[in-house]
Short mmCIF file of all heavy atoms in Angstrom, two decimals:
data_model
loop_
_atom_site.label_atom_id
_atom_site.label_comp_id
_atom_site.label_asym_id
_atom_site.label_seq_id
_atom_site.Cartn_x
_atom_site.Cartn_y
_atom_site.Cartn_z
N LEU A 282 -14.57 -74.88 24.75
CA LEU A 282 -15.11 -75.84 25.69
C LEU A 282 -16.18 -75.15 26.54
O LEU A 282 -15.92 -74.10 27.13
CB LEU A 282 -14.01 -76.36 26.62
CG LEU A 282 -13.02 -77.35 26.05
CD1 LEU A 282 -11.83 -77.51 26.97
CD2 LEU A 282 -13.68 -78.67 25.81
N ASP A 283 -17.35 -75.74 26.58
CA ASP A 283 -18.43 -75.23 27.41
C ASP A 283 -18.51 -76.08 28.68
O ASP A 283 -18.44 -77.30 28.61
CB ASP A 283 -19.77 -75.31 26.69
CG ASP A 283 -19.82 -74.42 25.46
OD1 ASP A 283 -19.44 -73.23 25.59
OD2 ASP A 283 -20.23 -74.89 24.39
N VAL A 284 -18.65 -75.42 29.80
CA VAL A 284 -18.92 -76.11 31.06
C VAL A 284 -20.34 -75.70 31.47
O VAL A 284 -20.62 -74.52 31.66
CB VAL A 284 -17.91 -75.74 32.17
CG1 VAL A 284 -18.20 -76.52 33.43
CG2 VAL A 284 -16.47 -75.99 31.70
N LEU A 285 -21.21 -76.68 31.54
CA LEU A 285 -22.63 -76.43 31.76
C LEU A 285 -22.95 -76.25 33.25
O LEU A 285 -22.14 -76.61 34.12
CB LEU A 285 -23.45 -77.58 31.19
CG LEU A 285 -23.17 -77.90 29.71
CD1 LEU A 285 -23.97 -79.12 29.28
CD2 LEU A 285 -23.45 -76.71 28.83
N SER A 286 -24.12 -75.75 33.52
CA SER A 286 -24.54 -75.50 34.90
C SER A 286 -24.62 -76.78 35.72
O SER A 286 -24.47 -76.75 36.94
CB SER A 286 -25.88 -74.77 34.93
OG SER A 286 -26.88 -75.56 34.31
N ASP A 287 -24.81 -77.93 35.05
CA ASP A 287 -24.85 -79.20 35.79
C ASP A 287 -23.48 -79.85 35.89
O ASP A 287 -23.34 -80.94 36.41
CB ASP A 287 -25.86 -80.16 35.14
CG ASP A 287 -25.44 -80.63 33.76
OD1 ASP A 287 -24.40 -80.17 33.23
OD2 ASP A 287 -26.17 -81.46 33.17
N GLY A 288 -22.44 -79.18 35.35
CA GLY A 288 -21.08 -79.72 35.41
C GLY A 288 -20.67 -80.50 34.18
O GLY A 288 -19.53 -80.93 34.06
N GLY A 289 -21.59 -80.68 33.24
CA GLY A 289 -21.25 -81.36 31.99
C GLY A 289 -20.28 -80.51 31.17
O GLY A 289 -20.22 -79.29 31.32
N VAL A 290 -19.53 -81.17 30.28
CA VAL A 290 -18.53 -80.49 29.46
C VAL A 290 -18.79 -80.81 28.00
O VAL A 290 -18.98 -81.98 27.64
CB VAL A 290 -17.10 -80.93 29.86
CG1 VAL A 290 -16.06 -80.21 29.01
CG2 VAL A 290 -16.83 -80.68 31.33
N LEU A 291 -18.79 -79.76 27.16
CA LEU A 291 -18.99 -79.92 25.73
C LEU A 291 -17.78 -79.37 24.98
O LEU A 291 -17.27 -78.30 25.31
CB LEU A 291 -20.23 -79.16 25.26
CG LEU A 291 -21.56 -79.46 25.93
CD1 LEU A 291 -22.64 -78.53 25.39
CD2 LEU A 291 -21.94 -80.91 25.73
N LEU A 292 -17.34 -80.10 23.97
CA LEU A 292 -16.28 -79.64 23.08
C LEU A 292 -16.92 -79.45 21.71
O LEU A 292 -17.36 -80.43 21.10
CB LEU A 292 -15.14 -80.66 23.00
CG LEU A 292 -14.04 -80.38 21.98
CD1 LEU A 292 -13.30 -79.09 22.32
CD2 LEU A 292 -13.07 -81.54 21.90
N ASN A 293 -17.00 -78.22 21.25
CA ASN A 293 -17.68 -77.90 19.99
C ASN A 293 -19.07 -78.51 19.94
O ASN A 293 -19.50 -79.04 18.92
CB ASN A 293 -16.84 -78.37 18.80
CG ASN A 293 -15.55 -77.59 18.67
OD1 ASN A 293 -15.47 -76.43 19.06
ND2 ASN A 293 -14.53 -78.23 18.13
N GLY A 294 -19.77 -78.47 21.05
CA GLY A 294 -21.15 -78.93 21.13
C GLY A 294 -21.32 -80.42 21.42
O GLY A 294 -22.43 -80.87 21.66
N ALA A 295 -20.24 -81.18 21.42
CA ALA A 295 -20.32 -82.63 21.68
C ALA A 295 -19.90 -82.91 23.13
O ALA A 295 -18.90 -82.38 23.61
CB ALA A 295 -19.41 -83.40 20.73
N PRO A 296 -20.66 -83.75 23.83
CA PRO A 296 -20.32 -84.04 25.22
C PRO A 296 -19.00 -84.80 25.35
O PRO A 296 -18.75 -85.75 24.60
CB PRO A 296 -21.48 -84.90 25.72
CG PRO A 296 -22.30 -85.25 24.54
CD PRO A 296 -21.87 -84.43 23.39
N VAL A 297 -18.15 -84.34 26.25
CA VAL A 297 -16.88 -85.02 26.54
C VAL A 297 -16.71 -85.25 28.04
O VAL A 297 -15.67 -85.73 28.47
CB VAL A 297 -15.65 -84.25 25.98
CG1 VAL A 297 -15.64 -84.29 24.48
CG2 VAL A 297 -15.62 -82.82 26.49
N GLY A 298 -17.71 -84.92 28.79
CA GLY A 298 -17.67 -85.14 30.23
C GLY A 298 -19.04 -84.93 30.82
O GLY A 298 -19.71 -83.94 30.52
N GLU A 299 -19.48 -85.86 31.60
CA GLU A 299 -20.78 -85.77 32.25
C GLU A 299 -20.59 -85.33 33.70
O GLU A 299 -19.53 -85.52 34.27
CB GLU A 299 -21.48 -87.13 32.20
CG GLU A 299 -21.80 -87.59 30.79
CD GLU A 299 -22.72 -86.64 30.05
OE1 GLU A 299 -23.65 -86.11 30.67
OE2 GLU A 299 -22.49 -86.42 28.85
N PRO A 300 -21.63 -84.78 34.30
CA PRO A 300 -21.52 -84.29 35.68
C PRO A 300 -21.06 -85.36 36.66
O PRO A 300 -20.38 -85.06 37.63
CB PRO A 300 -22.93 -83.83 36.02
CG PRO A 300 -23.59 -83.62 34.73
CD PRO A 300 -22.93 -84.52 33.73
N THR A 301 -21.39 -86.60 36.41
CA THR A 301 -21.01 -87.68 37.33
C THR A 301 -19.78 -88.43 36.85
O THR A 301 -19.41 -89.43 37.43
CB THR A 301 -22.17 -88.69 37.47
OG1 THR A 301 -22.49 -89.20 36.18
CG2 THR A 301 -23.39 -88.03 38.09
N SER A 302 -19.13 -87.93 35.79
CA SER A 302 -17.99 -88.65 35.22
C SER A 302 -16.74 -88.50 36.08
O SER A 302 -16.68 -87.70 37.00
CB SER A 302 -17.71 -88.17 33.80
OG SER A 302 -17.20 -86.85 33.81
N ASP A 303 -15.74 -89.26 35.72
CA ASP A 303 -14.43 -89.21 36.37
C ASP A 303 -13.92 -87.77 36.36
O ASP A 303 -13.91 -87.12 35.33
CB ASP A 303 -13.48 -90.13 35.61
CG ASP A 303 -12.08 -90.18 36.20
OD1 ASP A 303 -11.84 -89.53 37.24
OD2 ASP A 303 -11.24 -90.88 35.62
N TYR A 304 -13.49 -87.29 37.49
CA TYR A 304 -13.06 -85.90 37.58
C TYR A 304 -11.84 -85.60 36.71
O TYR A 304 -11.54 -84.46 36.41
CB TYR A 304 -12.80 -85.49 39.04
CG TYR A 304 -11.56 -86.08 39.64
CD1 TYR A 304 -10.37 -85.35 39.65
CD2 TYR A 304 -11.55 -87.35 40.19
CE1 TYR A 304 -9.22 -85.88 40.20
CE2 TYR A 304 -10.40 -87.89 40.73
CZ TYR A 304 -9.24 -87.15 40.74
OH TYR A 304 -8.10 -87.68 41.28
N LYS A 305 -11.13 -86.64 36.27
CA LYS A 305 -9.95 -86.42 35.41
C LYS A 305 -10.33 -86.25 33.94
O LYS A 305 -9.49 -85.91 33.13
CB LYS A 305 -8.95 -87.56 35.57
CG LYS A 305 -8.32 -87.58 36.95
CD LYS A 305 -7.26 -88.63 37.04
CE LYS A 305 -6.67 -88.62 38.45
NZ LYS A 305 -5.64 -89.64 38.61
N LEU A 306 -11.57 -86.51 33.57
CA LEU A 306 -12.06 -86.35 32.21
C LEU A 306 -11.13 -87.00 31.17
O LEU A 306 -10.58 -86.33 30.30
CB LEU A 306 -12.26 -84.86 31.88
CG LEU A 306 -13.25 -84.11 32.78
CD1 LEU A 306 -13.20 -82.62 32.50
CD2 LEU A 306 -14.66 -84.64 32.58
N PRO A 307 -10.95 -88.32 31.24
CA PRO A 307 -10.00 -88.99 30.35
C PRO A 307 -10.32 -88.82 28.86
O PRO A 307 -9.40 -88.71 28.04
CB PRO A 307 -10.07 -90.46 30.77
CG PRO A 307 -11.37 -90.60 31.49
CD PRO A 307 -11.64 -89.26 32.11
N ASP A 308 -11.61 -88.76 28.51
CA ASP A 308 -11.96 -88.56 27.10
C ASP A 308 -11.50 -87.19 26.62
O ASP A 308 -10.96 -87.04 25.52
CB ASP A 308 -13.46 -88.72 26.88
CG ASP A 308 -13.94 -90.14 27.08
OD1 ASP A 308 -13.11 -91.08 27.04
OD2 ASP A 308 -15.16 -90.33 27.29
N LEU A 309 -11.70 -86.18 27.45
CA LEU A 309 -11.27 -84.83 27.08
C LEU A 309 -9.75 -84.76 26.98
O LEU A 309 -9.22 -84.16 26.04
CB LEU A 309 -11.79 -83.81 28.10
CG LEU A 309 -11.39 -82.36 27.84
CD1 LEU A 309 -11.87 -81.89 26.47
CD2 LEU A 309 -11.93 -81.46 28.94
N VAL A 310 -9.05 -85.37 27.90
CA VAL A 310 -7.58 -85.38 27.86
C VAL A 310 -7.11 -86.01 26.55
O VAL A 310 -6.23 -85.47 25.87
CB VAL A 310 -6.98 -86.11 29.08
CG1 VAL A 310 -5.47 -86.28 28.92
CG2 VAL A 310 -7.30 -85.37 30.36
N SER A 311 -7.70 -87.12 26.18
CA SER A 311 -7.32 -87.82 24.96
C SER A 311 -7.56 -86.95 23.72
O SER A 311 -6.69 -86.83 22.84
CB SER A 311 -8.09 -89.13 24.85
OG SER A 311 -7.81 -89.79 23.64
N ILE A 312 -8.73 -86.34 23.65
CA ILE A 312 -9.06 -85.49 22.50
C ILE A 312 -8.14 -84.28 22.43
O ILE A 312 -7.61 -83.94 21.36
CB ILE A 312 -10.54 -85.06 22.55
CG1 ILE A 312 -11.44 -86.27 22.34
CG2 ILE A 312 -10.83 -83.98 21.53
CD1 ILE A 312 -12.90 -86.02 22.68
N LEU A 313 -7.92 -83.63 23.57
CA LEU A 313 -7.04 -82.45 23.58
C LEU A 313 -5.61 -82.82 23.20
O LEU A 313 -4.94 -82.07 22.49
CB LEU A 313 -7.06 -81.78 24.95
CG LEU A 313 -8.34 -81.03 25.33
CD1 LEU A 313 -8.24 -80.52 26.77
CD2 LEU A 313 -8.63 -79.90 24.36
N THR A 314 -5.16 -83.98 23.63
CA THR A 314 -3.81 -84.44 23.28
C THR A 314 -3.71 -84.65 21.77
O THR A 314 -2.72 -84.23 21.14
CB THR A 314 -3.47 -85.75 24.03
OG1 THR A 314 -3.52 -85.49 25.44
CG2 THR A 314 -2.10 -86.26 23.66
N GLN A 315 -4.71 -85.27 21.17
CA GLN A 315 -4.71 -85.48 19.72
C GLN A 315 -4.76 -84.16 18.97
O GLN A 315 -4.03 -83.98 17.97
CB GLN A 315 -5.91 -86.34 19.32
CG GLN A 315 -5.81 -87.77 19.79
CD GLN A 315 -7.09 -88.55 19.52
OE1 GLN A 315 -8.02 -88.06 18.89
NE2 GLN A 315 -7.14 -89.78 20.03
N ILE A 316 -5.58 -83.24 19.43
CA ILE A 316 -5.66 -81.92 18.79
C ILE A 316 -4.32 -81.21 18.88
O ILE A 316 -3.84 -80.62 17.91
CB ILE A 316 -6.79 -81.07 19.42
CG1 ILE A 316 -8.15 -81.66 19.04
CG2 ILE A 316 -6.69 -79.61 18.99
CD1 ILE A 316 -9.31 -81.04 19.80
N LYS A 317 -3.71 -81.25 20.05
CA LYS A 317 -2.42 -80.58 20.25
C LYS A 317 -1.36 -81.17 19.32
O LYS A 317 -0.60 -80.44 18.68
CB LYS A 317 -1.97 -80.69 21.70
CG LYS A 317 -0.68 -79.93 22.00
CD LYS A 317 -0.36 -79.97 23.46
CE LYS A 317 0.80 -79.13 23.89
NZ LYS A 317 1.95 -79.08 23.04
N GLN A 318 -1.29 -82.50 19.24
CA GLN A 318 -0.31 -83.14 18.37
C GLN A 318 -0.54 -82.78 16.90
O GLN A 318 0.41 -82.48 16.17
CB GLN A 318 -0.34 -84.66 18.57
CG GLN A 318 0.18 -85.09 19.92
CD GLN A 318 -0.08 -86.56 20.21
OE1 GLN A 318 -0.84 -87.23 19.54
NE2 GLN A 318 0.57 -87.07 21.26
N SER A 319 -1.78 -82.79 16.47
CA SER A 319 -2.11 -82.43 15.09
C SER A 319 -1.75 -80.98 14.80
O SER A 319 -1.20 -80.66 13.74
CB SER A 319 -3.60 -82.65 14.80
OG SER A 319 -3.92 -84.00 14.89
N SER A 320 -2.06 -80.10 15.73
CA SER A 320 -1.75 -78.69 15.57
C SER A 320 -0.25 -78.46 15.46
O SER A 320 0.21 -77.71 14.59
CB SER A 320 -2.30 -77.88 16.74
OG SER A 320 -3.70 -77.93 16.77
N GLU A 321 0.51 -79.12 16.32
CA GLU A 321 1.96 -78.96 16.30
C GLU A 321 2.55 -79.46 14.98
O GLU A 321 3.47 -78.83 14.43
CB GLU A 321 2.60 -79.67 17.48
CG GLU A 321 2.37 -78.96 18.79
CD GLU A 321 2.95 -79.68 19.99
OE1 GLU A 321 3.30 -80.88 19.87
OE2 GLU A 321 3.03 -79.06 21.06
N ARG A 322 2.04 -80.59 14.47
CA ARG A 322 2.54 -81.11 13.18
C ARG A 322 2.27 -80.11 12.05
O ARG A 322 3.05 -80.01 11.11
CB ARG A 322 1.89 -82.45 12.86
CG ARG A 322 2.51 -83.61 13.58
CD ARG A 322 2.09 -84.95 12.99
NE ARG A 322 0.65 -85.18 13.10
CZ ARG A 322 0.04 -85.75 14.13
NH1 ARG A 322 0.76 -86.16 15.17
NH2 ARG A 322 -1.26 -85.94 14.15
N ALA A 323 1.17 -79.37 12.15
CA ALA A 323 0.81 -78.40 11.12
C ALA A 323 1.46 -77.03 11.37
O ALA A 323 1.27 -76.10 10.57
CB ALA A 323 -0.71 -78.25 11.06
N GLY A 324 2.17 -76.91 12.47
CA GLY A 324 2.86 -75.66 12.77
C GLY A 324 2.01 -74.63 13.50
O GLY A 324 2.33 -73.44 13.49
N PHE A 325 0.95 -75.08 14.12
CA PHE A 325 0.07 -74.18 14.86
C PHE A 325 0.13 -74.48 16.35
O PHE A 325 0.46 -75.59 16.75
CB PHE A 325 -1.38 -74.33 14.39
CG PHE A 325 -1.59 -73.98 12.96
CD1 PHE A 325 -1.74 -74.96 12.00
CD2 PHE A 325 -1.63 -72.65 12.56
CE1 PHE A 325 -1.92 -74.63 10.67
CE2 PHE A 325 -1.81 -72.31 11.23
CZ PHE A 325 -1.96 -73.31 10.27
N SER A 326 -0.25 -73.50 17.15
CA SER A 326 -0.36 -73.74 18.58
C SER A 326 -1.82 -74.05 18.91
O SER A 326 -2.73 -73.71 18.16
CB SER A 326 0.12 -72.53 19.38
OG SER A 326 -0.67 -71.41 19.07
N THR A 327 -2.02 -74.70 20.03
CA THR A 327 -3.37 -75.06 20.47
C THR A 327 -3.83 -74.07 21.52
O THR A 327 -3.13 -73.83 22.50
CB THR A 327 -3.37 -76.48 21.07
OG1 THR A 327 -2.87 -77.39 20.09
CG2 THR A 327 -4.76 -76.91 21.49
N VAL A 328 -5.00 -73.49 21.29
CA VAL A 328 -5.59 -72.56 22.25
C VAL A 328 -6.95 -73.10 22.63
O VAL A 328 -7.77 -73.41 21.76
CB VAL A 328 -5.72 -71.15 21.65
CG1 VAL A 328 -6.41 -70.22 22.63
CG2 VAL A 328 -4.37 -70.61 21.24
N VAL A 329 -7.19 -73.23 23.91
CA VAL A 329 -8.49 -73.67 24.42
C VAL A 329 -9.20 -72.45 24.98
O VAL A 329 -8.62 -71.67 25.75
CB VAL A 329 -8.32 -74.75 25.52
CG1 VAL A 329 -9.63 -74.99 26.24
CG2 VAL A 329 -7.79 -76.03 24.91
N ILE A 330 -10.44 -72.28 24.57
CA ILE A 330 -11.26 -71.19 25.12
C ILE A 330 -12.35 -71.83 25.97
O ILE A 330 -13.15 -72.62 25.48
CB ILE A 330 -11.87 -70.33 24.00
CG1 ILE A 330 -10.74 -69.70 23.19
CG2 ILE A 330 -12.78 -69.25 24.60
CD1 ILE A 330 -11.18 -68.93 21.98
N LEU A 331 -12.32 -71.50 27.23
CA LEU A 331 -13.25 -72.06 28.20
C LEU A 331 -14.44 -71.11 28.35
O LEU A 331 -14.26 -69.91 28.57
CB LEU A 331 -12.52 -72.20 29.54
CG LEU A 331 -12.97 -73.24 30.51
CD1 LEU A 331 -12.98 -74.61 29.88
CD2 LEU A 331 -12.06 -73.23 31.71
N ASN A 332 -15.63 -71.66 28.20
CA ASN A 332 -16.85 -70.86 28.29
C ASN A 332 -17.76 -71.48 29.35
O ASN A 332 -18.71 -72.20 29.02
CB ASN A 332 -17.54 -70.82 26.92
CG ASN A 332 -18.74 -69.92 26.92
OD1 ASN A 332 -18.79 -68.94 27.66
ND2 ASN A 332 -19.70 -70.24 26.08
N PRO A 333 -17.48 -71.22 30.62
CA PRO A 333 -18.31 -71.81 31.67
C PRO A 333 -19.62 -71.05 31.86
O PRO A 333 -19.66 -69.83 31.76
CB PRO A 333 -17.44 -71.69 32.92
CG PRO A 333 -16.57 -70.51 32.66
CD PRO A 333 -16.36 -70.46 31.16
N ASP A 334 -20.68 -71.79 32.10
CA ASP A 334 -21.96 -71.20 32.48
C ASP A 334 -21.76 -70.48 33.81
O ASP A 334 -20.93 -70.89 34.63
CB ASP A 334 -23.00 -72.32 32.63
CG ASP A 334 -24.38 -71.78 32.91
OD1 ASP A 334 -24.69 -71.51 34.09
OD2 ASP A 334 -25.14 -71.65 31.94
N LEU A 335 -22.49 -69.41 34.01
CA LEU A 335 -22.35 -68.66 35.26
C LEU A 335 -22.67 -69.51 36.48
O LEU A 335 -22.19 -69.23 37.58
CB LEU A 335 -23.24 -67.42 35.23
CG LEU A 335 -22.83 -66.35 34.22
CD1 LEU A 335 -23.85 -65.22 34.20
CD2 LEU A 335 -21.45 -65.82 34.52
N GLU A 336 -23.48 -70.55 36.30
CA GLU A 336 -23.86 -71.44 37.41
C GLU A 336 -23.03 -72.74 37.42
O GLU A 336 -23.33 -73.64 38.20
CB GLU A 336 -25.34 -71.78 37.31
CG GLU A 336 -26.26 -70.57 37.38
CD GLU A 336 -26.17 -69.83 38.71
OE1 GLU A 336 -26.08 -70.49 39.76
OE2 GLU A 336 -26.18 -68.57 38.68
N ALA A 337 -22.02 -72.84 36.56
CA ALA A 337 -21.21 -74.06 36.51
C ALA A 337 -20.46 -74.25 37.84
O ALA A 337 -19.93 -73.28 38.39
CB ALA A 337 -20.21 -73.99 35.37
N PRO A 338 -20.42 -75.48 38.33
CA PRO A 338 -19.67 -75.74 39.57
C PRO A 338 -18.19 -75.44 39.37
O PRO A 338 -17.61 -75.79 38.33
CB PRO A 338 -19.89 -77.23 39.82
CG PRO A 338 -21.04 -77.63 38.96
CD PRO A 338 -21.08 -76.68 37.82
N GLN A 339 -17.59 -74.80 40.36
CA GLN A 339 -16.16 -74.49 40.28
C GLN A 339 -15.32 -75.74 40.06
O GLN A 339 -14.32 -75.71 39.34
CB GLN A 339 -15.70 -73.75 41.54
CG GLN A 339 -16.26 -72.35 41.66
CD GLN A 339 -15.76 -71.44 40.56
OE1 GLN A 339 -14.57 -71.42 40.24
NE2 GLN A 339 -16.67 -70.70 39.94
N GLN A 340 -15.73 -76.86 40.66
CA GLN A 340 -14.97 -78.10 40.51
C GLN A 340 -14.97 -78.56 39.05
O GLN A 340 -13.97 -79.06 38.55
CB GLN A 340 -15.51 -79.21 41.42
CG GLN A 340 -14.65 -80.46 41.40
CD GLN A 340 -13.23 -80.20 41.88
OE1 GLN A 340 -13.03 -79.68 42.97
NE2 GLN A 340 -12.24 -80.53 41.07
N ALA A 341 -16.08 -78.38 38.35
CA ALA A 341 -16.14 -78.78 36.94
C ALA A 341 -15.16 -77.95 36.11
O ALA A 341 -14.50 -78.47 35.21
CB ALA A 341 -17.56 -78.63 36.41
N ILE A 342 -15.07 -76.66 36.40
CA ILE A 342 -14.13 -75.79 35.68
C ILE A 342 -12.70 -76.21 36.00
O ILE A 342 -11.86 -76.31 35.10
CB ILE A 342 -14.38 -74.31 36.06
CG1 ILE A 342 -15.78 -73.90 35.62
CG2 ILE A 342 -13.32 -73.41 35.45
CD1 ILE A 342 -16.25 -72.58 36.20
N THR A 343 -12.42 -76.49 37.25
CA THR A 343 -11.10 -76.96 37.65
C THR A 343 -10.75 -78.27 36.96
O THR A 343 -9.62 -78.47 36.52
CB THR A 343 -11.02 -77.12 39.18
OG1 THR A 343 -11.31 -75.86 39.79
CG2 THR A 343 -9.66 -77.61 39.63
N ASN A 344 -11.73 -79.17 36.84
CA ASN A 344 -11.50 -80.44 36.16
C ASN A 344 -11.08 -80.22 34.71
O ASN A 344 -10.18 -80.90 34.20
CB ASN A 344 -12.74 -81.33 36.21
CG ASN A 344 -13.10 -81.77 37.61
OD1 ASN A 344 -12.30 -81.65 38.54
ND2 ASN A 344 -14.31 -82.25 37.78
N VAL A 345 -11.72 -79.27 34.04
CA VAL A 345 -11.35 -78.97 32.65
C VAL A 345 -9.95 -78.39 32.58
O VAL A 345 -9.15 -78.76 31.72
CB VAL A 345 -12.39 -78.02 32.00
CG1 VAL A 345 -11.91 -77.54 30.65
CG2 VAL A 345 -13.74 -78.71 31.88
N LEU A 346 -9.63 -77.48 33.49
CA LEU A 346 -8.27 -76.92 33.52
C LEU A 346 -7.23 -78.01 33.77
O LEU A 346 -6.16 -78.02 33.15
CB LEU A 346 -8.17 -75.82 34.58
CG LEU A 346 -8.97 -74.55 34.28
CD1 LEU A 346 -8.97 -73.63 35.49
CD2 LEU A 346 -8.41 -73.84 33.06
N ASN A 347 -7.55 -78.95 34.67
CA ASN A 347 -6.63 -80.06 34.93
C ASN A 347 -6.47 -80.94 33.69
O ASN A 347 -5.37 -81.44 33.43
CB ASN A 347 -7.11 -80.88 36.12
CG ASN A 347 -6.91 -80.17 37.44
OD1 ASN A 347 -6.08 -79.28 37.55
ND2 ASN A 347 -7.70 -80.54 38.43
N ALA A 348 -7.54 -81.14 32.94
CA ALA A 348 -7.46 -81.93 31.70
C ALA A 348 -6.53 -81.24 30.71
O ALA A 348 -5.74 -81.91 30.02
CB ALA A 348 -8.85 -82.12 31.09
N CYS A 349 -6.58 -79.92 30.64
CA CYS A 349 -5.67 -79.18 29.77
C CYS A 349 -4.22 -79.39 30.19
O CYS A 349 -3.35 -79.57 29.33
CB CYS A 349 -6.02 -77.69 29.78
SG CYS A 349 -7.59 -77.29 28.98
N VAL A 350 -3.98 -79.37 31.48
CA VAL A 350 -2.62 -79.60 31.99
C VAL A 350 -2.15 -81.00 31.60
O VAL A 350 -1.03 -81.17 31.10
CB VAL A 350 -2.57 -79.41 33.52
CG1 VAL A 350 -1.24 -79.91 34.08
CG2 VAL A 350 -2.79 -77.96 33.89
N LEU A 351 -2.99 -82.00 31.80
CA LEU A 351 -2.61 -83.38 31.46
C LEU A 351 -2.36 -83.55 29.97
O LEU A 351 -1.51 -84.35 29.57
CB LEU A 351 -3.69 -84.36 31.93
CG LEU A 351 -3.83 -84.51 33.44
CD1 LEU A 351 -5.07 -85.34 33.79
CD2 LEU A 351 -2.58 -85.15 34.03
N ALA A 352 -3.06 -82.78 29.14
CA ALA A 352 -2.87 -82.84 27.68
C ALA A 352 -1.73 -81.93 27.22
O ALA A 352 -1.45 -81.84 26.03
CB ALA A 352 -4.16 -82.46 26.97
N LYS A 353 -1.11 -81.25 28.19
CA LYS A 353 -0.01 -80.32 27.92
C LYS A 353 -0.42 -79.15 27.03
O LYS A 353 0.36 -78.63 26.24
CB LYS A 353 1.19 -81.07 27.31
CG LYS A 353 1.78 -82.09 28.26
CD LYS A 353 3.00 -82.76 27.66
CE LYS A 353 3.74 -83.63 28.62
NZ LYS A 353 3.15 -84.72 29.21
N VAL A 354 -1.67 -78.72 27.18
CA VAL A 354 -2.16 -77.52 26.52
C VAL A 354 -1.89 -76.35 27.46
O VAL A 354 -2.38 -76.34 28.58
CB VAL A 354 -3.66 -77.62 26.20
CG1 VAL A 354 -4.20 -76.30 25.66
CG2 VAL A 354 -3.93 -78.76 25.23
N THR A 355 -1.09 -75.40 27.00
CA THR A 355 -0.66 -74.32 27.89
C THR A 355 -1.34 -72.99 27.61
O THR A 355 -1.18 -72.05 28.37
CB THR A 355 0.87 -74.13 27.80
OG1 THR A 355 1.22 -73.89 26.44
CG2 THR A 355 1.60 -75.37 28.29
N SER A 356 -2.08 -72.89 26.52
CA SER A 356 -2.78 -71.65 26.20
C SER A 356 -4.28 -71.86 26.43
O SER A 356 -4.95 -72.49 25.62
CB SER A 356 -2.54 -71.24 24.74
OG SER A 356 -1.18 -70.92 24.55
N VAL A 357 -4.75 -71.32 27.54
CA VAL A 357 -6.16 -71.44 27.90
C VAL A 357 -6.68 -70.05 28.23
O VAL A 357 -6.05 -69.31 28.99
CB VAL A 357 -6.35 -72.38 29.12
CG1 VAL A 357 -7.82 -72.49 29.49
CG2 VAL A 357 -5.76 -73.75 28.84
N SER A 358 -7.82 -69.70 27.65
CA SER A 358 -8.45 -68.41 27.92
C SER A 358 -9.90 -68.63 28.31
O SER A 358 -10.48 -69.65 27.97
CB SER A 358 -8.41 -67.52 26.67
OG SER A 358 -7.09 -67.18 26.32
N PHE A 359 -10.45 -67.66 29.00
CA PHE A 359 -11.86 -67.70 29.35
C PHE A 359 -12.62 -66.77 28.40
O PHE A 359 -12.18 -65.65 28.15
CB PHE A 359 -12.09 -67.26 30.80
CG PHE A 359 -11.76 -68.33 31.79
CD1 PHE A 359 -10.48 -68.50 32.25
CD2 PHE A 359 -12.76 -69.18 32.28
CE1 PHE A 359 -10.16 -69.47 33.17
CE2 PHE A 359 -12.45 -70.16 33.19
CZ PHE A 359 -11.16 -70.31 33.64
N ALA A 360 -13.75 -67.26 27.89
CA ALA A 360 -14.60 -66.43 27.04
C ALA A 360 -15.27 -65.38 27.91
O ALA A 360 -15.59 -65.63 29.07
CB ALA A 360 -15.65 -67.29 26.35
N SER A 361 -15.51 -64.22 27.35
CA SER A 361 -16.23 -63.19 28.10
C SER A 361 -17.71 -63.47 28.03
O SER A 361 -18.22 -64.00 27.05
CB SER A 361 -15.90 -61.79 27.57
OG SER A 361 -16.31 -61.70 26.22
N GLN A 362 -18.40 -63.15 29.09
CA GLN A 362 -19.84 -63.41 29.16
C GLN A 362 -20.62 -62.25 28.63
O GLN A 362 -20.42 -61.16 28.87
CB GLN A 362 -20.26 -63.72 30.60
CG GLN A 362 -19.63 -64.97 31.13
CD GLN A 362 -20.24 -66.25 30.55
OE1 GLN A 362 -21.38 -66.27 30.12
NE2 GLN A 362 -19.47 -67.31 30.52
#
């Protein structure tokens, strides 16, 4: 997941949250929930790697972390810059 300098959120390059969008990121929660369920059925765990821009607003990063919590994704790491 990329968090852009304007607060936008990308999942594998596709937008899932805009800077002015709902802070709960319902589209991201839905997608992460589906990915988690599919992974569990296949016997895999779900790992989210967060790659925030150095200028990304802290609130945007927090919103993504909250979306992970709502989707019950418990393995989240930050990419190194």
Side-chain angles (χ1 to χ4, degrees):
L282 286 166
D283 295 312
V284 182
L285 306 176
S286 60
D287 67 356
V290 180
L291 304 176
L292 173 64
N293 293 331
V297 292
E299 296 300 321
T301 58
S302 69
D303 181 2
Y304 73 96
K305 292 185 181 180
L306 300 171
D308 292 341
L309 179 58
V310 172
S311 176
I312 292 167
L313 289 175
T314 299
Q315 291 173 6
I316 290 170
K317 184 175 187 320
Q318 291 170 347
S319 295
S320 295
E321 287 178 345
R322 280 194 297 271
F325 298 103
S326 61
T327 303
V328 177
V329 168
I330 299 174
L331 207 56
N332 185 29
D334 185 276
L335 293 175
E336 300 297 320
Q339 291 295 314
Q340 186 61 55
I342 297 167
T343 301
N344 294 346
V345 171
L346 292 171
N347 287 338
C349 291
V350 169
L351 291 171
K353 296 183 171 62
V354 174
T355 57
S356 294
V357 180
S358 295
F359 282 85
S361 61
Q362 296 287 335

